[in-house]
Amino acid sequence: MEAVFRIGQRVRIEVTSGATTAVCPCCETVSSRVHSRYQRRVADWPTGGQTVELDLRVRRFFCDNTHCRKKTFAEQVDGLTVRHGRRSVPLQRLLERVALALGGEAGARLTRQLQAETSPATLLRMVHRLPLPDVKAPKVLGVDEFAFRRGRTYGTILIDMETRRPVDVLPDRTADSFAAWLEQHPGVEKICRDRGGSFAEGARRALPGIPQVADRWHLLHNLAQAVERTVARHHRSLKQPASQPADSGQDVDERPKDTVESRRIRERHAEVHDLQQRGLTINQISQALGRDRKTVRRYVQAATADEMLRARPRWRATVLRPFADHLEQRWRGGCDNAAMLRAEIQAMGYTGSRKTIRRFLNSLVESGSRPLPPPEPPPPVRDIVRWIIGRPSRLSEDDHQKVKDVRARCTEIDTAARQAQAFALILRKREGGRLMDWITQAEVCGVKEITSFATGLRKDLAAVTAGLTEHWSSGAVEGHVNRIKMIKRTGYGRASFSLLRRRILLMS
């Protein structure tokens, strides 16, 4: 190091190579004859939040090998420079790591903070220039699909289950592609997969008789889907019965609601009985109050005003009278929608208007009657499935009581829950030897969703039995699928298959 200069936010260091010999990059002959000297500028690892540049003075040597096609060559500093490199080896490795982890746009933003600013395109070119690792077939291979565009195009990720590292990435998820890869890379002894049929078919084509292991999580997920369809089919029947209103100990009609009309009736009743006590007849009271004789007679016959209130009709429309009992029963059950009630009684012969029905409902309210509270809605389908499939030790006492009530209301859900819990116990204890007995019972249980699930297990019996017995699972594969989702999101639309494959394999 000969000199150091600071220019703004840049630090420039003048450096001279002190080696007396150099090795020809073509024939690897050691040479000591100097041809010339020249100066090259190399960007180096930033220091102290400042960009560092090396003004490196190097020499060009003669190659003494007469058979070598190079006559002269420039020396390289080990661990610092490479041929035609504008960046030092440590800085180049730093930028390559940034490009692999973040991609082009996000990586470029980070390099600005690191004082090693580089364009997004340059970072992507670095990834494309990196050599890919050699593809070696593992003994235990994990395989699963991932989406390029969800619901449209998919690829395949292959994982070494022993090292939990990705082996290769395929551009589709077809059985032909997977079978071709297995044929080109012999040595696979066991395959861990999900319930997907294409991977099972590809393995059978390329390696007939190879042991296959179905993933336990996918088995439990498929079981949960079957239970969910069963619960959804019977969800309406799980409604709680309408609860009866609390008994106050008194008849509702014994204490009518105090309204303007009821107060007017009480005043008239008091006036009529006052005049009667004075000795006036019904005709005289009728003339004095300007009321009809029949009206006065009803007031006289009523010992109290409450009797008049109870005796008053709740509606006046004779067209509604044949349907009054039905409407009152529906109203007490919690239905107060006049339009809905009108549609119901129209089918029974009602020809009146909706307004008449609304007046009738209002009269029920004014009389002091109370409708039954609406029935409590059933628990959500997803919650019921979680209570059935989940580990009992993780459920609260309230959850245990709720699932008990649900099973008591529907026999099919109770049967499905019993079969599902038995399968979940086999799965968690890895008792694959009991699977055949469970399938036999599930196929005759009477719940079509559970029967369909059991039939599917029978078709893939060897792989499912291995999945419920061995310790292998696709957990590592699913973890890499989640990592691929993150890598795709940092691609900003530039994640071609070639670039995506490199980032998946090289980041590991």
Side-chain angles (χ1 to χ4, degrees):
M1 182 183 297
E2 296 181 351
V4 178
F5 303 95
R6 181 175 179 180
I7 306 173
Q9 293 297 319
R10 295 176 179 269
V11 175
R12 186 168 296 173
I13 305 175
E14 292 185 357
V15 183
T16 301
S17 174
T20 57
T21 60
V23 178
C24 175
C26 184
C27 63
E28 298 183 354
T29 300
V30 178
S31 175
S32 59
R33 288 197 303 138
V34 178
H35 173 272
S36 59
R37 291 175 175 81
Y38 73 97
Q39 190 167 342
R40 58 186 295 191
R41 181 166 296 170
V42 179
D44 197 14
W45 191 292
T47 301
Q50 299 176 96
T51 301
V52 176
E53 295 177 345
L54 301 179
D55 283 345
L56 182 60
R57 187 171 179 81
V58 296
R59 292 162 292 180
R60 180 171 290 275
F61 288 82
F62 287 102
C63 181
D64 295 330
N65 185 358
T66 58
H67 300 288
C68 181
R69 60 183 179 85
K70 283 185 172 294
K71 301 303 179 182
T72 63
F73 61 91
E75 66 173 330
Q76 304 296 334
V77 180
D78 291 339
L80 182 64
T81 63
V82 294
R83 189 166 178 248
H84 302 309
R86 302 297 299 272
R87 302 179 187 86
S88 66
V89 172
L91 178 60
Q92 182 73 15
R93 291 176 179 172
L94 170 67
L95 296 179
E96 289 171 354
R97 295 191 187 101
V98 170
L100 288 173
L102 300 178
E105 296 291 342
R109 290 195 293 271
L110 179 60
T111 59
R112 287 195 291 270
Q113 302 296 324
L114 297 176
Q115 299 301 322
E117 184 173 357
T118 308
S119 69
T122 299
L123 292 175
L124 296 184
R125 284 196 299 269
M126 290 181 182
V127 176
H128 281 294
R129 285 197 296 263
L130 289 174
L132 288 172
D134 295 333
V135 178
K136 297 180 180 179
K139 292 183 178 180
V140 183
L141 177 68
V143 57
D144 199 1
E145 63 186 24
F146 65 91
F148 294 116
R149 295 186 65 185
R150 187 175 179 86
R152 297 190 180 184
T153 56
Y154 289 82
T156 302
I157 178 72
L158 306 177
I159 303 295
D160 184 346
M161 299 303 295
E162 294 180 332
T163 62
R164 308 174 77 87
R165 293 178 179 273
V167 176
D168 205 349
V169 182
L170 306 182
D172 55 40
R173 57 173 178 178
T174 62
D176 295 336
S177 298
F178 185 49
W181 190 93
L182 291 175
E183 291 173 353
Q184 295 170 4
H185 302 85
V188 177
E189 299 177 359
K190 187 173 294 185
I191 295 177
C192 297
R193 58 171 175 83
D194 59 8
R195 301 293 306 286
S198 60
F199 299 135
E201 178 63 23
R204 282 192 293 266
R205 290 183 193 175
L207 302 172
I210 186 174
Q212 300 184 35
V213 181
D215 181 51
R216 288 186 292 277
W217 182 90
H218 287 91
L219 292 172
L220 194 61
H221 180 65
N222 296 148
L223 176 65
Q225 290 176 329
V227 175
E228 183 175 357
R229 290 193 296 269
T230 305
V231 175
R233 184 159 54 88
H234 297 281
H235 196 238
R236 288 189 176 183
S237 65
L238 300 179
K239 290 184 178 179
Q240 292 275 8
S243 57
Q244 297 293 332
D247 187 6
S248 61
Q250 297 180 349
D251 190 358
V252 175
D253 288 338
E254 290 296 329
R255 301 182 61 181
K257 188 176 180 180
D258 187 18
T259 62
V260 175
E261 187 175 2
S262 66
R263 289 194 295 270
R264 188 183 300 115
I265 292 174
R266 295 178 191 279
E267 293 174 0
R268 291 174 184 171
H269 184 273
E271 291 176 350
V272 169
H273 279 263
D274 182 56
L275 293 176
Q276 184 188 22
Q277 291 176 0
R278 295 180 185 179
L280 275 66
T281 64
I282 291 179
N283 289 336
Q284 292 173 341
I285 296 174
S286 175
Q287 293 175 0
L289 298 179
R291 300 293 177 185
D292 187 84
R293 293 176 65 255
K294 292 180 289 185
T295 302
V296 174
R297 183 177 289 108
R298 288 198 303 269
Y299 276 98
V300 171
Q301 293 174 350
T304 63
D306 290 342
E307 294 182 13
M308 288 294 300
L309 293 173
R310 290 196 300 270
R312 293 185 72 251
R314 291 175 176 172
W315 69 93
R316 299 179 182 178
T318 57
V319 70
L320 193 62
R321 194 176 299 275
F323 314 101
D325 293 340
H326 175 78
L327 292 175
E328 186 167 357
Q329 182 180 3
R330 293 283 286 119
W331 181 77
R332 289 186 180 278
C335 180
D336 60 352
N337 189 317
M340 183 183 300
L341 294 174
R342 183 193 180 194
E344 292 179 6
I345 63 177
Q346 271 184 335
M348 303 165 59
Y350 176 69
T351 58
S353 65
R354 181 177 60 86
K355 189 174 181 180
T356 303
I357 299 175
R358 173 51 58 192
R359 284 199 299 266
F360 173 75
L361 298 179
N362 291 339
S363 71
L364 294 178
V365 176
E366 292 176 358
S367 67
S369 299
R370 295 191 301 272
L372 297 178
E376 183 180 352
V381 175
R382 291 290 181 89
D383 288 349
I384 297 175
V385 176
R386 177 174 58 83
W387 297 335
I388 293 174
I389 301 295
R391 294 178 182 270
S393 59
R394 297 182 180 178
L395 300 181
S396 63
E397 294 184 3
D398 187 42
D399 291 341
H400 279 292
Q401 184 60 42
K402 287 180 179 179
V403 72
K404 184 178 179 180
D405 295 341
V406 167
R407 295 178 62 173
R409 288 190 218 118
C410 181
T411 56
E412 280 208 19
I413 292 180
D414 180 58
T415 302
R418 186 167 57 253
Q419 296 295 332
Q421 290 174 351
F423 183 85
L425 188 63
I426 293 174
L427 182 143
R428 293 182 178 119
K429 292 187 176 181
R430 298 184 192 171
E431 298 176 344
R434 297 171 49 197
L435 177 63
M436 199 61 211
D437 294 336
W438 183 89
I439 292 177
T440 304
Q441 296 176 6
E443 289 178 336
V444 297
C445 69
V447 182
K448 60 182 182 180
E449 291 83 2
I450 300 298
T451 301
S452 177
F453 172 72
T455 303
L457 296 184
R458 185 184 289 274
K459 294 178 181 179
D460 198 18
L461 185 60
V464 174
T465 303
L468 297 178
T469 306
E470 302 184 16
H471 71 281
W472 298 108
S473 72
S474 297
V477 186
E478 295 296 335
H480 280 282
V481 170
N482 284 334
R483 188 171 65 90
I484 291 172
K485 295 178 182 179
M486 183 274 294
I487 296 175
K488 287 189 339 181
R489 282 166 174 76
T490 60
Y492 288 90
R494 301 184 66 176
S496 63
F497 175 72
S498 175
L499 179 62
L500 181 63
R501 179 172 179 266
R502 286 177 170 273
R503 291 187 64 188
I504 292 173
L505 297 178
L506 292 172
M507 280 181 65
S508 301

